[in-house]
Amino acid sequence: EYGQNYLSDLVPSVFGALSENGYFYDPVQKDVEGNFVPWLLSRVKENMGHVLLSRVMVDELIRTVCDKRHDQAKKQRDAARLAAQEEDRPVPKVDAAVPPPPAPSTASPVDPLEPPVIETTAPTDPPTTEPVMPPIPESSDTQQ
């Protein structure tokens, strides 16, 4: 009887200690934590790399277009100035509202974990006015 009382207290404490030290585990939880979560995190990291790369590429495209537009506007102004000087008349302002392109930023472009904020405006189409057809009068043949 003394042995049973001693063992009855010992068994729960041993099982508790073994469970706390990880000897008993849920195989599904272990598989999810050991295989699925690392795979998922690597895929997310890979996709975020693609997102960041695409944002950098779009930024460079926009910068290139701005540079070219600025150069074109400068050439137009210079040509107008040269033509005016040749004719001895005042220089007209050509595309005076074209600002210089922005300087390249050295800061991090955007937090890659946040979705991009895209502000769009809905196109405002003029209301369509279709001609209204007048009702067709019934002929005397159909009114019998």
Side-chain angles (χ1 to χ4, degrees):
E1 188 173 314
Y2 172 75
Q4 285 181 341
N5 286 339
Y6 180 72
L7 288 178
S8 67
D9 291 339
L10 183 64
V11 169
S13 67
V14 168
F15 275 117
L18 289 174
S19 181
E20 287 175 7
N21 290 324
Y23 287 97
F24 304 115
Y25 58 88
D26 182 9
V28 174
Q29 180 181 0
K30 185 175 182 179
D31 189 39
V32 166
E33 290 174 353
N35 296 324
F36 177 70
V37 171
W39 171 83
L40 180 63
L41 290 176
S42 69
R43 295 290 300 189
V44 167
K45 183 178 178 182
E46 180 182 325
N47 285 339
M48 292 311 298
H50 293 298
V51 168
L52 184 60
L53 176 65
S54 64
R55 287 183 182 175
V56 168
M57 290 174 67
V58 168
D59 286 346
E60 285 301 315
L61 286 171
I62 291 171
R63 184 172 292 112
T64 301
V65 168
C66 288
D67 288 344
K68 286 184 179 182
R69 299 268 325 251
H70 184 263
D71 291 344
Q72 287 174 349
K74 186 176 180 183
K75 286 179 184 178
Q76 285 178 348
R77 284 192 301 267
D78 291 346
R81 186 176 296 120
L82 183 62
Q85 287 174 352
E86 287 176 359
E87 296 177 5
D88 248 358
R89 59 185 169 99
V91 178
K93 293 198 181 235
V94 179
D95 288 334
V98 177
S105 173
T106 57
S108 174
V110 177
D111 183 4
L113 298 179
E114 290 193 26
V117 177
I118 301 173
E119 296 180 17
T120 59
T121 56
T124 55
D125 294 331
T128 57
T129 55
E130 296 182 14
V132 178
M133 298 295 290
I136 301 173
E138 294 184 22
S139 66
S140 60
D141 295 339
T142 59
Q143 291 182 352
Q144 297 179 13

